[in-house]
Every structure is written in structure tokens, then in C-alpha cells.
Amino acid sequence: MNTHDAGPEYRVAHFQDRLASGELGELGVHAEVRGGAVLVTGTVPSARCRDEVLEVVREELGGLDVHCDLVVSESSSPDHAEELS
């Protein structure tokens, strides 16, 4: 069976498995079906990782109504010295 022919719950479970077992190993991202849409939430370490997660979302959940709320926890280095008084 093609995963795109499966129900949203099955596709969300497959998405979660792929994130957890793939290169990303991203266990901080969760997806759930809510009112006919899929909500993807969580925290990722970098913008690059967020982009990779969004690519998996497109591949695994394409055709579904998906809302993503991913937070990037990466802290960038300051671009100037902080002056203390």
C-alpha cells in the first residue's frame, strides 16, 4: 500500500518513525491529527534541521492540511561586543 493512500493517523505514525530512525534522529518533533489537519510541533537545534524536518513533512504528509510550529533553539554568536557599565 502506498502511504499516500493511507489514513492521516497512519501517515503521521510513519512520519514520526522516519524522524526518529533517520539521519535526523529528531525525537523533539511531534505530529498529531487535530480536527482533520496535522499539527507538527517541537524544537529543533538549527534552521538547517528545521528545513530537513519540513522536507520530510512534504514527503510524508503531502496532500494533507499541515500546520507546522517548529522552534529553532540555535543561539547565534553575538555580532558585537556587549558593553557593561
Side-chain angles (χ1 to χ4, degrees), residues 24-71:
L24 295 172
E26 196 53 58
L27 298 175
V29 175
H30 304 283
E32 62 183 293
V33 178
R34 283 193 181 170
V38 178
L39 178 62
V40 178
T41 60
T43 302
V44 294
S46 67
R48 182 177 136 308
C49 186
R50 180 194 59 214
D51 292 343
E52 290 174 8
V53 169
L54 292 175
E55 179 62 29
V56 176
V57 165
R58 283 188 286 276
E59 291 172 6
E60 295 295 332
L61 304 175
L64 296 175
D65 186 16
V66 178
H67 302 277
C68 292
D69 185 14
L70 297 172
V71 176

Side-chain angles (χ1 to χ4, degrees), residues 1 25 54 80:
M1 170 171 70
L54 292 175
H80 61 280

